[in-house]
Amino acid sequence: MKQLLVIGLGLIGGSVALAARPLYTRIVGMDLDPAERQAALSLGVVDAVTEDLASAASAADLILLAVPVLAVESVLRQLQPHLRPETVITDVGSCKVVVAEAAQRVFGHIPTQLVLGHPIAGAEKSGVAAALPDLFQQRKVILTPQAETDPQALAQVRQLWQTCGAEVLEMDMQQHDQVLARTSHLPHLLAYSLVDTLASQDERLEMFRYAAGGFRDFTRIAASDPIMWRDIFLANREATLSALDDFVAGVQRLRSAIDQADGDHLVATFTRAKAARDYFTALLNATGYQKMTDQKINFITQPPSGALQGSIRVPGDKSISHRSIMLGALAEGTTQVKGFLEGEDALATLQTFRDLGVQIEGPHHGEVTIHGVGLHGLQAPKGPLYLGNSGTSMRLLAGILAAQPFDTELTGDASLSKRPMNRVADPLRLMGAKIETQEGGRPPLKITGGQTLRGIDYTLPMASAQVKSCLLLAGLWAEGETSTTEPAPTRDHTERMLRGFGYAVEQQGATARVRSGGQLQATAIDIPADISSATFFLVAAAMTPGSDLTLEHVGINPTRDGVIHILRLMGADIEIQNPREIGGEPVADLRIRATPLKGIDIPVDLVPLAIDEFPALFIAAACAEGTTRLRGAEELRVKESDRIQVMADGLAALGIDCTVVEDGIDIQGRGDQQAVFGSARLPCYHDHRIAMSFAIAGLRSAGSIIIEDCATVNTSFPGFAELARSLGCGLEVQQGDLPPAG
């Protein structure tokens, strides 16, 4: 018989007793309050109640202490003479250090069978009558084991909480108390204080009668058990005082701003707070920065509705948005940015530099103000830097952070964590950087600060703007000269923007060089529309009969315009109108009219200039007459997904014949048919470009195409579905899980 003893039959203890029934054949409860003992028994929360601690403790396999943290020492002293060596003890207190210290005083050491824990769960009501068997479902439980903790005891406690439906995490106990002081204890303290302050005022009845939802939401936690929270505040006194001091200082700054009518300070503070909350919600939920729900998003195409007509402007260039934040943060002075892409990848870069101590206002309607700290002004972050799905952020930041005097860790979501990073880590190591990667050279990246970097002459084995940019950025701090030589041209946004910030970059053919010792000077940046985002509508208009569409203010950097050349070779009618230069970047309006497309052998020299556009170009190839062949595109294998194989699988499901080779694909077009694609249900493997490419395939499909789990579209093109619908594309966005296939 496996027996659980629950000491403290309140909300938490009672809920554990209910949820742990599949794991224990007998659950015994103990509580000082006779009414609670009787209620637990009559409600079936426990199998038996007892006042005899000696017999209950000696028979228990696991003892759960669900008592106030300041009462733990007394309970442990009563338990100590009756414990069997194999009996496991755990607790639920929100302060771990004080419990560990109590155990040290009672036993003379921290027992190996003691596993301290804390469920992040609760409810407004207290007592065993409020106990819920699902209270811990999809909630977190933090365990704080010590080096001497028995692994089998830890496994038992972990199993207990997993049976309750919780996600079990581990943390250092001192860190736990510091974190909880700021995220749980301080909010409760403030809620109690606010309600008490308002309740003591003459107009208190009117205040509470007309209080808005924000007041009710914030002060809800003031309904919690006062005795329990008294003990928590006293037990975690030092950490709570530290958190309170930080908060009071922040409130005083806001008071001064209001007193002095300093609206800029208020906006800056509120903007940082909003961005930080979105960021933390994304990190904790493993979702995108703008997807503040754990619901899935799916695209469903509807029957074609006709030609695409009119003029549109797609969001700002993602590559330039990344670099505007990076160089603006490292510049001297204030940089003003317009046209910033408010997509998740670019927001990851923006939030990272906030975490590195840079004050950034916005984005607001694409406008961002960056208060640069100079090349030597970045500060150590408080923890790992989370970059979501952004490979560009991680690779370019590796070059910047390798030169800093502090340690950093770069992490990302599940997709980014599978992508190779040795292509930047290896040459950075040659420069003197100390970078640790995981198996296969994958994230997280752990970068040791304080290393002296030396300039190198590096010939890239594979054309990559990210690798080139990473090394040039590291070269801003490296001793001597840093140069990169490419086997084929890649986007040169970094070189252009460095010059825009007043930093000398020498270019000779395929080689770019920088020397350390210079400064970046703040400037104004107007970011053009992203040609990668424009590509989806270029292809959509080119393949949809009768279409005549203009895409405004598109960046046509010659290292990025491969898609225009490839579509023209396929017979597309693309007219470049109103060409101009803005901030060193060439910009134009692109007018595209539908014409019959034909299959081609894509020139190898155009591949690096259109590497991100190929998923959409594969759709164009399927709508062309004849075979389109791509070679030299092995880079597509290591993007957010294996874009060659994923697109080939999707095209095959839609009825398109294609043959995959190691570095490319052959696609047999069906341009002579009105309905090129059939119907299918397709995964996009968390790859935004795959999702959008199959979405535009719906314009030439016989029925509906369902694309699953498309939330990552916000990484590069927020508002894609809405813009597509404005042009008449039948594209439905569905939230939630789809019914099982078939």
Side-chain angles (χ1 to χ4, degrees):
M1 177 179 289
K2 201 172 181 184
Q3 185 161 306
L4 170 68
L5 172 60
V6 179
I7 302 178
L9 292 170
L11 169 69
I12 299 297
S15 296
V16 171
L18 289 171
R21 286 211 166 272
L23 198 57
Y24 293 93
T25 53
R26 181 174 173 80
I27 299 178
V28 177
M30 184 173 183
D31 197 281
L32 293 177
D33 187 341
E36 288 288 86
R37 293 198 301 269
Q38 184 57 45
L41 195 60
S42 61
L43 292 170
V45 174
V46 296
D47 300 308
V49 294
T50 183
E51 298 178 64
D52 183 0
L53 187 61
S55 60
S58 61
D61 296 284
L62 189 146
I63 300 174
L64 177 78
L65 306 180
V67 299
V69 289
L70 295 185
V72 168
E73 183 171 351
S74 172
V75 174
L76 288 177
R77 288 194 185 280
Q78 296 175 61
L79 286 172
Q80 195 263 347
H82 312 294
L83 293 173
R84 293 180 290 131
E86 65 271 20
T87 300
V88 177
I89 306 174
T90 189
D91 78 316
V92 299
S94 69
C95 310
K96 305 320 318 172
V97 172
V98 71
V99 176
E101 290 173 346
Q104 183 80 35
R105 288 191 293 270
V106 171
F107 297 97
H109 64 281
I110 298 178
T112 60
Q113 301 299 104
L114 176 63
V115 182
L116 302 183
H118 175 214
I120 311 296
E124 290 182 34
K125 295 182 179 179
S126 59
V128 72
L132 300 168
D134 61 352
L135 181 66
F136 310 107
Q137 287 288 333
Q138 298 182 331
R139 307 301 289 271
K140 291 179 173 59
V141 170
I142 300 172
L143 303 182
T144 60
Q146 306 300 293
E148 60 271 19
T149 301
D150 183 349
Q152 292 186 346
L154 178 61
Q156 281 194 49
V157 175
R158 178 178 286 274
Q159 184 183 26
L160 166 69
W161 288 114
Q162 289 173 338
T163 301
C164 294
E167 176 189 0
V168 182
L169 308 174
E170 293 184 16
M171 184 184 288
D172 173 79
M173 69 168 64
Q174 284 83 8
Q175 182 188 14
H176 169 277
D177 287 3
Q178 290 289 336
V179 169
L180 267 293
R182 285 161 169 75
T183 59
S184 175
H185 304 169
L186 179 62
H188 278 82
L189 189 69
L190 300 178
Y192 282 122
S193 176
L194 179 59
V195 174
D196 180 59
T197 299
L198 296 183
S200 65
Q201 297 183 3
D202 292 339
E203 300 86 2
R204 58 189 182 278
L205 181 60
E206 295 303 303
M207 289 182 184
F208 284 96
R209 176 179 294 160
Y210 297 110
F215 176 83
R216 292 192 298 272
D217 291 343
F218 177 67
T219 59
R220 173 186 58 80
I221 54 178
S224 302
D225 182 356
I227 302 301
M228 176 186 73
W229 280 101
R230 176 203 64 187
D231 288 357
I232 288 171
F233 292 134
L234 295 179
N236 203 23
R237 180 171 172 270
E238 295 302 323
T240 300
L241 287 173
S242 175
L244 187 59
D245 288 344
D246 290 344
F247 177 79
V248 169
V251 169
Q252 186 57 51
R253 288 192 294 270
L254 288 174
R255 188 191 187 287
S256 297
I258 294 172
D259 181 53
Q260 298 168 18
D262 187 352
D264 290 343
H265 179 89
L266 295 175
V267 169
T269 301
F270 300 160
T271 300
R272 288 196 305 272
K274 180 185 183 304
R277 188 186 187 282
D278 290 349
Y279 166 70
F280 293 135
T281 303
L283 190 156
L284 293 171
N285 293 344
T287 63
Y289 288 89
Q290 298 174 326
K291 180 175 171 280
M292 295 298 114
T293 170
D294 56 7
Q295 283 189 317
K296 291 183 177 179
I297 294 177
N298 310 295
F299 287 166
I300 303 175
T301 70
Q302 302 300 322
S305 55
L308 280 64
Q309 303 281 340
S311 298
I312 60 171
R313 179 167 174 173
V314 302
D317 186 284
K318 183 167 69 166
S319 296
I320 300 176
S321 293
H322 281 302
R323 289 158 173 82
S324 71
I325 298 296
M326 293 180 182
L327 297 190
L330 298 170
E332 304 286 341
T334 301
T335 293
Q336 302 286 347
V337 180
K338 294 182 179 179
F340 179 80
L341 171 65
E342 296 184 40
E344 293 164 13
D345 281 9
L347 290 174
T349 295
L350 188 151
Q351 180 60 41
T352 293
F353 277 91
R354 283 193 172 118
D355 291 341
L356 291 167
V358 181
Q359 183 179 339
I360 303 175
E361 299 170 30
H364 182 66
H365 299 309
E367 296 191 4
V368 179
T369 301
I370 309 162
H371 300 277
V373 297
L375 288 172
H376 303 286
L378 296 180
Q379 300 173 17
K382 302 296 185 184
L385 299 169
Y386 178 73
L387 302 173
N389 191 239
S390 180
T392 300
S393 300
M394 183 168 286
R395 292 190 176 114
L396 271 61
L397 275 164
I400 293 171
L401 296 175
Q404 302 308 313
F406 46 80
D407 297 349
T408 47
E409 180 178 351
L410 303 179
T411 69
D413 66 10
S415 174
L416 182 57
S417 297
K418 298 175 183 177
R419 297 172 68 182
M421 292 295 152
N422 273 344
R423 60 177 60 186
V424 294
D426 286 343
L428 286 173
R429 291 176 184 130
L430 293 177
M431 297 178 73
K434 189 174 181 181
I435 302 176
E436 178 185 339
T437 60
Q438 307 309 300
E439 183 179 357
R442 286 168 167 73
L445 301 186
K446 295 182 179 179
I447 303 173
T448 301
Q451 308 303 306
T452 299
L453 301 189
R454 300 173 300 278
I456 59 172
D457 298 321
Y458 188 72
T459 299
L460 279 68
M462 176 188 302
S464 170
Q466 293 178 358
V467 176
K468 174 182 65 174
S469 296
C470 168
L471 300 182
L472 292 176
L473 291 172
L476 302 183
W477 291 270
E479 294 178 353
E481 182 179 83
T482 301
S483 71
T484 61
T485 302
E486 304 178 276
T490 63
R491 58 190 65 177
D492 63 353
H493 301 306
T494 299
E495 299 95 302
R496 288 174 181 265
M497 192 171 289
L498 280 170
R499 285 193 289 266
F501 277 87
Y503 206 102
V505 180
E506 180 184 344
Q507 285 186 277
Q508 292 178 322
T511 300
R513 293 185 176 87
V514 296
R515 280 188 165 276
S516 59
Q519 280 190 341
L520 297 165
Q521 296 298 328
T523 187
I525 300 173
D526 188 354
I527 298 174
D530 195 325
I531 194 168
S532 295
S533 297
T535 292
F536 299 104
F537 292 105
L538 288 173
V539 169
M543 72 184 199
T544 306
S547 294
D548 185 350
L549 183 66
T550 299
L551 292 127
E552 300 173 342
H553 197 71
V554 178
I556 55 168
N557 185 299
T559 63
R560 295 282 303 281
D561 65 355
V563 63
I564 297 174
H565 297 297
I566 292 171
L567 284 173
R568 280 176 165 173
L569 289 173
M570 296 177 72
D573 179 5
I574 301 177
E575 181 183 349
I576 296 178
Q577 300 178 336
N578 190 24
R580 59 226 187 249
E581 188 170 291
I582 297 178
E585 290 283 347
V587 175
D589 303 328
L590 304 180
R591 182 182 182 186
I592 184 162
R593 286 166 282 201
T595 54
L597 301 177
K598 63 179 184 295
I600 63 168
D601 289 353
I602 297 173
V604 175
D605 62 336
L606 290 179
V607 171
L609 309 184
I611 197 68
D612 284 334
E613 290 71 63
F614 278 113
L617 285 169
F618 290 175
I619 301 299
C623 295
E625 186 173 349
T627 301
T628 297
R629 297 179 180 84
L630 171 67
R631 297 293 185 271
E634 57 272 13
E635 170 86 358
L636 289 173
R637 296 279 193 181
V638 291
K639 291 289 188 177
E640 283 84 336
S641 66
D642 179 344
R643 286 179 174 166
I644 292 176
Q645 192 61 57
V646 170
M647 286 299 299
D649 292 344
L651 289 171
L654 293 170
I656 304 299
D657 291 332
C658 47
T659 303
V660 170
V661 296
E662 185 60 32
D663 64 342
I665 189 172
D666 295 347
I667 299 171
Q668 183 60 50
R670 300 176 62 189
D672 56 340
Q673 301 182 33
Q674 183 174 356
V676 171
F677 304 104
S679 297
R681 178 168 168 171
L682 306 173
C684 73
Y685 298 95
H686 305 288
D687 190 326
H688 50 118
R689 300 201 191 280
I690 300 293
M692 290 184 279
S693 296
F694 284 127
I696 62 172
L699 289 163
R700 294 285 297 272
S701 66
S704 290
I705 302 172
I706 300 173
I707 308 121
E708 299 176 337
D709 205 6
C710 301
T712 53
V713 167
N714 274 337
T715 61
S716 65
F717 201 152
F720 165 77
E722 293 78 6
L723 186 56
R725 284 198 299 271
S726 74
L727 291 172
C729 300
L731 184 60
E732 176 187 343
V733 178
Q734 182 201 63
Q735 290 193 345
D737 291 324
L738 292 165

